[in-house]
Amino acid sequence: MMSTLSRNAQCILKILEAGGSFTTSEILELARRAEYAEVCKDCAGGDTFVIAANQLVERGIITKRIGKGGYHWQIVRG
Amino acid sequence: MYLDSACMALKPRQVISAMNEYYERFPACGGRSIHRLGEEASDAYSRARGKLARFINAAEPGECIWTRNATESLNIVASSVKIERGSKVVTTSLEHHSGSLPFVERAKKTGLKLEVVRARNDGTFDIEDWKRAIDSSTRIVSVVHSSNVTGTIAPLREIIEIAHDRGALVVSDDAQYAPHHPLDVQNLDVDFSAISVHKMCGPTGMGVLYGKMSLLESMDMFLVGGDTVSDVRFEDGRIIPSYLPPPHKFEAGLQNYAGAIGAGAAAEYLQSIGMREIEQHERDLLRAALEGLKQLSHVHFLGPDDVNLRTGLLTFVIDTVESAHDIATFLNDRYAVMIRSGWHCAAPFHYQIGIPPSKGTARASIYIYNNSNDISIFLTGLQTLIEQTS
């Protein structure tokens, strides 16, 4: 599955695989950490990561819900 | 509802038709081929340059160089203006990356000092800071005319007077100013102006560099090649070029004829509406948007209240929403309202005001095709978002 995903989508998935749900800010902050540096390489402004996350939602791979603080993202566990 | 014109303006039929006409009726090389189609392409291309010159009141069409965008225009200035080692370049903390980075790199490469005038956190400037920063060693000043973050309009006339008084040139980043306000480069006495055509209803991949002819004549070229020369002699085993005068010496290779023709159509279209009328329309909508935002709890907008100090965009954060991207996502998903989020290629200013990249700011921008209903739905969407995130 991973090979069909963009690098930014892989970045989002790798972060979310840690488990639970993450807010957008949390994802973007994690994306800048050294442990994700190999796959999370795009602009620190975050636009491209959010676009990738929304594409993953459209593909049914992750979900997002609006709540306290903003959107919360989570992997769909099958 | 499209509220992202500060990034990309929508295109009127007149622009699309003008470009289609080129592709359908005379899709040939301009300025090279002597056949009928070539002649028509050359005429249309030449007229387009004249339309842009009228749009900004350049002294002559040759002062307008076609580029890909304002970024390329600014890079040409930064790389081609002659500046002695040890001289100073002045820019600001409010610049788009395209207004600062070309000069940061030039300073690194050729041993220049770079001084940054710090904007106030509302995007305005203290003119005394400019008087301190620009001195007799300053060779060039790069300043954003209208900020793409705060929307504030810089006191460009005063800055130019200070710079010229001390022997420095001024390049104005007019990417956000030119589409929304009357711009008269001669009246301002600005030395260079960088314009992105895609923000003024024109095609993508087109920009303009305005420069005073005497300055353009004195500058080296950023790119060279076909169409830039009057002759290239081959003597004693050497290739010896003679370059054309501006604008041609700066326009190397086959040009984007359709893009230039579309740019001319865009300029003509905006002028047919009237730049004063456009400015007033946007200020009326901006006033309504600002008043509406003030009524919403948890919303903080950047820039001053006075719409006369601003271009038609407003940038804000909401206390209850951690990331500005969530504001843009929510408005798009639930209300079909399209705004921009992030740091808008102006990271230094975001760091200055203490907003990290993971939070960013949300920006709604207004243009000629927006109306009060757009603003009303935008505000309703924000109200709902605040309720759902509190």
Coordinates of all heavy atoms in Angstrom, one line a residue, chain A residues 23-26 28-29 32 43-47 50 54 64 66-71 73, chain B residues 320-323 325-326 329-330 333-334 340-343 351 357-359 385 388-390:
Chain A
T23 N -4.0 16.0 16.7 CA -4.5 17.3 16.1 C -3.6 17.6 15.0 O -2.5 17.1 14.9 CB -4.5 18.4 17.1 OG1 -3.2 18.7 17.5 CG2 -5.4 18.1 18.3
T24 N -4.0 18.5 14.1 CA -3.2 19.0 13.0 C -1.9 19.6 13.5 O -0.8 19.3 13.0 CB -4.0 20.1 12.2 OG1 -5.3 19.6 11.9 CG2 -3.3 20.5 11.0
S25 N -2.0 20.4 14.5 CA -0.7 21.0 15.1 C 0.2 19.9 15.6 O 1.4 20.0 15.3 CB -1.1 21.9 16.2 OG -1.4 23.2 15.8
E26 N -0.3 18.9 16.2 CA 0.6 17.9 16.7 C 1.2 17.1 15.6 O 2.4 16.9 15.6 CB -0.3 16.9 17.6 CG -0.7 17.4 18.9 CD -1.7 16.6 19.6 OE1 -2.4 15.8 19.0 OE2 -1.9 16.7 20.9
L28 N 1.9 18.3 12.6 CA 2.9 19.2 12.0 C 4.2 19.4 12.9 O 5.3 19.5 12.3 CB 2.3 20.6 11.6 CG 1.1 20.5 10.6 CD1 0.6 21.9 10.3 CD2 1.6 19.9 9.3
E29 N 4.0 19.4 14.2 CA 5.1 19.5 15.0 C 5.9 18.2 15.0 O 7.2 18.2 15.0 CB 4.7 19.8 16.5 CG 4.3 21.3 16.7 CD 3.5 21.6 17.9 OE1 3.4 20.7 18.8 OE2 2.9 22.6 17.9
R32 N 8.4 17.6 12.1 CA 9.6 18.3 12.1 C 10.7 17.7 13.0 O 11.8 18.1 13.0 CB 9.4 19.8 12.5 CG 8.5 20.6 11.6 CD 8.5 22.0 11.9 NE 9.7 22.7 11.4 CZ 10.0 24.0 11.6 NH1 9.1 24.7 12.3 NH2 11.1 24.5 11.1
C43 N 7.6 21.5 3.2 CA 7.7 22.8 3.8 C 7.1 22.8 5.2 O 6.0 22.3 5.4 CB 6.9 23.8 2.9 SG 6.9 25.4 3.5
A44 N 7.8 23.5 6.1 CA 7.4 23.5 7.5 C 6.1 24.2 7.7 O 5.4 24.1 8.7 CB 8.5 24.2 8.3
G45 N 5.7 25.0 6.7 CA 4.4 25.7 6.7 C 3.2 24.7 6.8 O 2.1 25.1 7.3
G46 N 3.4 23.5 6.4 CA 2.4 22.5 6.6 C 1.3 22.3 5.6 O 0.6 21.3 5.7
D47 N 1.1 23.2 4.7 CA 0.0 23.1 3.7 C 0.0 21.7 3.0 O -1.0 21.1 2.9 CB 0.2 24.2 2.6 CG 0.7 25.5 3.0 OD1 1.6 25.5 3.9 OD2 0.2 26.5 2.5
V50 N -1.2 18.8 5.1 CA -2.7 18.8 5.3 C -3.4 18.4 4.1 O -4.4 17.6 4.1 CB -3.2 20.2 5.8 CG1 -4.7 20.3 5.9 CG2 -2.5 20.6 7.1
N54 N -5.9 15.1 3.9 CA -7.2 15.2 3.4 C -7.4 14.1 2.3 O -8.5 13.5 2.1 CB -7.6 16.6 2.9 CG -8.1 17.4 4.0 OD1 -9.0 17.1 4.8 ND2 -7.5 18.6 4.1
K64 N -11.0 12.2 10.0 CA -10.8 13.4 10.7 C -12.2 13.8 11.3 O -13.2 13.5 10.7 CB -10.3 14.5 9.8 CG -11.3 15.0 8.8 CD -10.7 16.2 8.0 CE -11.8 16.6 7.0 NZ -11.2 17.4 5.9
I66 N -14.0 17.1 13.7 CA -13.8 18.5 14.3 C -14.2 18.4 15.8 O -15.1 17.7 16.1 CB -14.6 19.5 13.5 CG1 -14.2 21.0 14.0 CG2 -16.1 19.4 13.7 CD1 -12.9 21.4 13.3
G67 N -13.4 19.0 16.6 CA -13.6 18.9 18.0 C -12.9 20.0 18.7 O -12.4 21.0 18.1
K68 N -12.7 19.9 20.0 CA -12.0 20.9 20.8 C -10.6 21.1 20.2 O -9.9 20.1 20.0 CB -11.9 20.5 22.2 CG -11.5 21.6 23.2 CD -11.7 21.2 24.6 CE -11.3 22.2 25.6 NZ -12.0 23.5 25.5
G69 N -10.2 22.3 19.9 CA -8.9 22.6 19.4 C -8.8 22.5 17.8 O -7.8 22.9 17.3
G70 N -9.8 21.9 17.2 CA -9.7 21.7 15.7 C -9.9 20.3 15.3 O -10.6 19.6 15.9
Y71 N -9.2 19.9 14.2 CA -9.4 18.6 13.6 C -8.5 17.6 14.4 O -7.4 17.9 14.7 CB -9.1 18.6 12.1 CG -10.2 19.1 11.3 CD1 -10.2 20.4 10.8 CD2 -11.3 18.3 11.1 CE1 -11.2 20.9 10.0 CE2 -12.4 18.8 10.3 CZ -12.3 20.1 9.8 OH -13.4 20.6 9.1
W73 N -7.1 13.6 13.8 CA -6.9 12.7 12.7 C -6.6 11.3 13.3 O -5.8 11.2 14.3 CB -5.8 13.2 11.8 CG -5.9 14.6 11.4 CD1 -5.6 15.7 12.1 CD2 -6.3 15.0 10.1 NE1 -5.9 16.8 11.3 CE2 -6.3 16.5 10.1 CE3 -6.8 14.4 8.9 CZ2 -6.6 17.2 9.0 CZ3 -7.1 15.2 7.8 CH2 -7.1 16.6 7.8
Chain B
T320 N -9.6 29.2 19.6 CA -10.1 27.8 19.9 C -9.6 26.8 18.8 O -9.9 25.6 18.9 CB -11.6 27.8 19.8 OG1 -12.1 28.3 18.5 CG2 -12.2 28.7 20.9
V321 N -8.9 27.3 17.8 CA -8.4 26.4 16.8 C -6.9 26.4 16.8 O -6.3 27.5 16.6 CB -9.0 26.8 15.4 CG1 -8.5 25.8 14.3 CG2 -10.5 26.9 15.4
E322 N -6.3 25.2 17.0 CA -4.8 25.2 17.1 C -4.1 25.6 15.8 O -3.0 26.2 15.9 CB -4.4 23.8 17.6 CG -4.7 23.5 19.0 CD -4.3 22.0 19.3 OE1 -3.5 21.4 18.6 OE2 -4.8 21.5 20.4
S323 N -4.6 25.1 14.7 CA -3.9 25.3 13.4 C -4.7 26.1 12.5 O -5.9 25.7 12.3 CB -3.5 24.0 12.8 OG -3.0 24.1 11.5
H325 N -4.7 25.8 9.4 CA -5.1 24.9 8.4 C -6.5 24.3 8.7 O -7.2 23.9 7.8 CB -4.1 23.7 8.2 CG -2.7 24.2 7.7 ND1 -2.6 24.9 6.6 CD2 -1.5 24.0 8.2 CE1 -1.3 25.2 6.4 NE2 -0.6 24.7 7.4
D326 N -6.8 24.2 10.0 CA -8.1 23.6 10.3 C -9.2 24.7 10.0 O -10.3 24.3 9.7 CB -8.1 23.3 11.8 CG -7.3 22.1 12.2 OD1 -6.9 21.4 11.2 OD2 -7.1 21.8 13.4
T329 N -9.6 24.2 6.3 CA -10.3 23.0 5.9 C -11.8 23.0 6.3 O -12.6 22.6 5.5 CB -9.6 21.8 6.7 OG1 -8.2 21.8 6.4 CG2 -10.2 20.5 6.4
F330 N -12.1 23.5 7.4 CA -13.5 23.6 7.9 C -14.3 24.4 6.9 O -15.4 24.0 6.5 CB -13.6 24.1 9.3 CG -14.9 24.1 9.9 CD1 -15.5 23.0 10.5 CD2 -15.7 25.3 9.8 CE1 -16.8 23.0 11.0 CE2 -17.0 25.3 10.3 CZ -17.5 24.2 10.9
D333 N -14.7 22.5 3.6 CA -15.6 21.3 3.7 C -17.0 21.7 4.0 O -17.9 21.1 3.4 CB -15.1 20.4 4.9 CG -13.8 19.7 4.6 OD1 -13.3 19.9 3.4 OD2 -13.2 19.0 5.5
R334 N -17.3 22.6 4.9 CA -18.7 22.8 5.3 C -19.4 24.0 4.6 O -20.6 24.0 4.6 CB -18.7 23.1 6.8 CG -18.0 22.1 7.7 CD -18.9 20.8 7.9 NE -18.3 19.9 8.8 CZ -18.4 19.9 10.1 NH1 -19.2 20.8 10.7 NH2 -17.8 19.0 10.8
R340 N -6.8 30.8 2.4 CA -5.5 30.2 2.4 C -5.1 30.1 3.9 O -5.5 30.9 4.7 CB -4.5 31.2 1.7 CG -3.1 30.8 1.7 CD -2.8 29.8 0.6 NE -1.4 29.3 0.7 CZ -0.3 29.8 0.2 NH1 -0.5 30.9 -0.6 NH2 0.9 29.3 0.3
S341 N -4.2 29.1 4.2 CA -3.7 29.0 5.6 C -2.2 28.6 5.5 O -1.7 28.1 4.5 CB -4.4 27.9 6.3 OG -4.4 26.7 5.6
G342 N -1.5 28.9 6.6 CA -0.1 28.6 6.6 C 0.7 29.8 7.0 O 0.3 30.6 7.8
W343 N 1.9 29.9 6.4 CA 2.7 31.1 6.7 C 2.9 32.0 5.5 O 3.7 33.0 5.5 CB 4.0 30.8 7.4 CG 4.9 29.9 6.7 CD1 4.8 29.5 5.4 CD2 6.1 29.2 7.2 NE1 5.9 28.7 5.1 CE2 6.7 28.5 6.2 CE3 6.7 29.3 8.4 CZ2 7.9 27.7 6.3 CZ3 7.9 28.5 8.6 CH2 8.4 27.8 7.5
Y351 N 7.5 34.3 12.6 CA 8.3 34.1 13.8 C 8.4 35.4 14.7 O 8.4 35.3 15.9 CB 9.8 33.7 13.4 CG 9.9 32.2 12.9 CD1 10.2 31.9 11.6 CD2 9.6 31.2 13.8 CE1 10.3 30.6 11.2 CE2 9.7 29.9 13.4 CZ 10.1 29.6 12.1 OH 10.1 28.3 11.7
P357 N 5.2 27.6 12.7 CA 4.7 27.1 11.4 C 3.6 26.1 11.6 O 2.6 26.0 10.8 CB 5.9 26.4 10.8 CG 7.1 27.0 11.4 CD 6.7 27.5 12.8
S358 N 3.6 25.4 12.7 CA 2.5 24.4 12.9 C 1.2 25.0 13.2 O 0.1 24.4 13.1 CB 2.9 23.4 14.1 OG 3.1 24.2 15.3
K359 N 1.2 26.3 13.6 CA -0.1 27.0 13.8 C -0.5 27.8 12.6 O -1.6 27.7 12.1 CB 0.0 27.9 15.1 CG -1.3 28.6 15.5 CD -1.2 29.2 16.8 CE -2.4 30.0 17.2 NZ -3.6 29.1 17.3
L385 N -17.5 27.3 13.4 CA -16.2 26.7 13.7 C -15.9 27.0 15.2 O -15.5 26.1 15.9 CB -15.1 27.2 12.8 CG -13.7 26.7 13.1 CD1 -13.6 25.2 13.0 CD2 -12.7 27.4 12.2
Q388 N -17.9 24.9 17.5 CA -17.6 23.4 17.4 C -16.2 23.1 18.0 O -15.9 22.0 18.2 CB -17.8 22.9 16.0 CG -19.2 23.0 15.5 CD -19.4 22.1 14.3 OE1 -18.6 21.4 13.9 NE2 -20.6 22.3 13.7
T389 N -15.4 24.1 18.2 CA -14.1 23.9 18.7 C -13.8 24.4 20.1 O -12.8 24.3 20.7 CB -13.0 24.5 17.8 OG1 -13.3 25.9 17.6 CG2 -13.0 23.8 16.4
S390 N -14.9 25.0 20.7 CA -14.7 25.6 22.0 C -14.9 24.6 23.1 O -15.7 23.6 22.9 CB -15.7 26.7 22.2 OG -15.5 27.8 21.3

